[in-house]
Each structure stands twice: as C-alpha cells, then as structure tokens.
Amino acid sequence: SRSYARSLANNDILQGFFDRHPTAQIIYILLTAFLMSGLVEELCKYFGFVMVDHPDFCSEHELSKSKSNLSNQLSRSRSIESNEESSNDTEQVPQAVTSFEPSLQNRSLSSIRAGVTVAMVAVAIGFTCCENILHIFVYNRASVQSQITTLIAKSLFPVHAIAAAIQSIYVCRRDLEKDSSIGLGRVVLPSLLFHGTYDCALLFISNTWKRSQASQYFFSRDHQAFHVNENIMTLCISLAITLCGGIFYAFQSYKQYGRLRQVSRSNHREVEVQLS
C-alpha cells in the first residue's frame, strides 16, 4: 500500500542518516532498547500487577471487611438481575464463604511469595500475547510462513515472563521482607537491564532490525531482513541472554526462599514465647 511504501522510504532515509553518523545510531539503539522498549514495557507490567485484586494479596482486615459486606453485595447484584430485592440475604451467601475465617488463615511467606510470582508472570504473558499479535498481524506484512516463523522464534525466548519473575523478587523483598530500601526504581531496574540488554543486543547485531519492519529474525519472500550468519548470531545471543536471566532469577529466588523460611521460623518462635 501507499502508507507501507512511505514507511519503507522513511526507513531508508533514517538508515542513510545513521550510516553517515554511526554515533547517532548507537544513541538511538540505546534509547530504543532501554527507554522506549524496556522501561515502558516493564512499567506497564508492574502496574498491571498492582491492579490485580486477589484474596491472596489482601490483609486479614481487608478480608474480614469483604466478608462482612459480601451479603449486601450479593443482594445488590441479584436484585439488579431480577429487579427485586431478596428477602433472605443470609441464605444467599455460599456456605464456603460463611465458614471462612480470615483470622485462621495461616499462609507461609513462601506461599505468598509464590503467588506474587505467578501473578506477575501471568500479567507478563498477557502482555506478550498482545505484543505478538501486533508483531505478526500488524508489523509483519510478509508471507504467512514468515509470520509463523516469527511467532515460533519469539515463543522460544520468554523474555517478558523472566523479566516479570525477576520483578517479583524485589516486590517480595519490599512487601514480605519489609526492606525499606526497595522502591519502584529498585523493583524495575533489574528487569529493565535484562530486557534492555536483550533488545539492545538484537539491534546491534543488525542495523536493519526494527520492530516495524516487515520481517523479524528470519527471511521472508518480500523483504530479506538478515543474512544467514546474522540469523545464527541472533539465535545464539537471544538464547544466551535468556539463559542468563533465568539463571539470575533462579539464584535470587533460592536465596529469597531461604530468607523467608528463616523469617517464618523466627515469627513462629515469637508466637510460642508469647503464648508460654
């Protein structure tokens, strides 16, 4: 189409400018990888997790308040559906809810930590699905074979999921270990460095690698984005960075679970001393 041809012409002009000014290209790659891509996407995933409302992340006071108001909430929702108020609100509350006692909930810190990680990774996977749909059906205007190849290649490297798991470690350090030195910057920075390094490495491998390009990572019949050696290098670098991120998360996670178990044992001993 005309807009697609105009986009290719603009890319050629930009590439010509970068060929004459390599320093500008390096700055552009760094800004694109760490700010435009890494920072924005990692913040989106973090605040997506913050908006998750789940009982696992509620305090005892919040659970008790929700339980006391549940009868009115059910009555209101059912009255809207049937256009009449129910005369017996107590019977509307399920037995599992009435028998639930927030004060008796005894979840370990390790269990809560696992819940936080699962929630953050789930948010990241949803973000990845939306991003892949854009890359395949919007940015990739090549053949169906190229679209399938792009999807498979992107699925091999769960960068967003690993970055979210890394974020969960620092969220738990702040919320469960009560580390006052952990703020938003400390939570996002490690995942930003991992994500930004991944994108930056791919951008440096080939000057023509762009998210809006017709084909990414592999060949297409309409536009040849890479040479064979660049494809192999891209695959190797992507695998190496992904493995490094996974190893970093596994190491930090192991250390954190050890600290949380120690805190749980300490809290249990304090409760025993108070009761004795």
Side-chain angles (χ1 to χ4, degrees):
S1 63
R2 183 177 302 176
S3 60
Y4 182 56
R6 187 183 303 111
S7 176
L8 290 178
N10 292 335
N11 289 338
D12 291 339
I13 295 174
L14 184 62
Q15 188 61 44
F17 173 79
F18 286 152
D19 290 339
R20 295 189 300 271
H21 304 86
T23 303
Q25 185 176 29
I26 294 175
I27 296 175
Y28 173 80
I29 290 175
L30 292 174
L31 292 176
T32 300
F34 287 95
L35 293 182
M36 298 173 60
S37 177
L39 180 61
V40 173
E41 293 179 4
E42 294 308 312
L43 285 176
C44 287
K45 288 186 291 184
Y46 172 80
F47 286 110
F49 163 75
V50 170
M51 292 187 291
V52 172
D53 189 10
H54 194 276
D56 285 347
F57 308 136
C58 296
S59 64
E60 179 181 336
H61 173 72
E62 292 172 332
L63 291 174
S64 301
K65 184 177 180 181
S66 298
K67 179 182 177 181
S68 63
N69 294 331
L70 183 60
S71 177
N72 293 332
Q73 294 174 2
L74 289 174
S75 176
R76 188 181 302 111
S77 62
R78 293 185 179 182
S79 66
I80 294 176
E81 295 176 358
S82 60
N83 292 325
E84 60 180 7
E85 294 287 345
S86 175
S87 60
N88 193 345
D89 293 338
T90 305
E91 295 180 357
Q92 294 181 1
V93 182
Q95 180 64 26
V97 177
T98 57
S99 61
F100 172 71
E101 183 56 47
S103 61
L104 299 179
Q105 196 176 31
N106 188 22
R107 293 189 61 202
S108 65
L109 293 178
S110 298
S111 176
I112 299 175
R113 152 72 165 84
V116 172
T117 301
V118 170
M120 298 194 74
V121 171
V123 171
I125 292 175
F127 183 91
T128 304
C129 290
C130 295
E131 185 182 55
N132 288 346
I133 289 174
L134 290 175
H135 282 180
I136 294 171
F137 297 107
V138 178
Y139 298 147
N140 192 337
R141 304 189 183 187
S143 62
V144 176
Q145 180 180 0
S146 175
Q147 293 176 338
I148 295 175
T149 304
T150 300
L151 178 61
I152 294 175
K154 291 179 67 64
S155 300
L156 293 176
F157 308 106
V159 176
H160 286 298
I162 294 176
I166 293 174
Q167 279 194 33
S168 70
I169 294 175
Y170 295 88
V171 169
C172 292
R173 279 186 60 180
R174 181 191 63 190
D175 298 341
L176 300 182
E177 300 183 54
K178 307 300 180 182
D179 189 345
S180 59
S181 66
I182 303 295
L184 177 59
R186 289 282 301 277
V187 170
V188 175
L189 181 60
S191 60
L192 168 61
L193 293 177
F194 166 68
H195 190 174
T197 301
Y198 179 87
D199 286 350
C200 188
L202 297 182
L203 285 166
F204 271 120
I205 289 173
S206 175
N207 296 336
T208 59
W209 187 88
K210 294 182 178 64
R211 291 186 180 277
S212 59
Q213 205 165 303
S215 178
Q216 300 176 47
Y217 298 104
F218 291 94
F219 291 108
S220 72
R221 291 180 297 178
D222 300 329
H223 183 76
Q224 183 173 328
F226 295 102
H227 299 294
V228 174
N229 58 339
E230 290 172 322
N231 285 327
I232 297 175
M233 187 180 297
T234 298
L235 182 64
C236 294
I237 294 296
S238 299
L239 181 61
I241 296 176
T242 303
L243 286 177
C244 288
I247 293 172
F248 174 80
Y249 164 74
F251 178 72
Q252 294 295 330
S253 178
Y254 177 79
K255 291 174 58 179
Q256 185 171 63
Y257 274 118
R259 293 194 302 267
L260 292 177
R261 284 192 293 268
Q262 185 177 1
V263 171
S264 296
R265 287 193 294 266
S266 177
N267 293 338
H268 182 69
R269 284 195 294 267
E270 290 180 0
V271 172
E272 290 180 344
V273 171
Q274 293 176 359
L275 294 177
S276 60

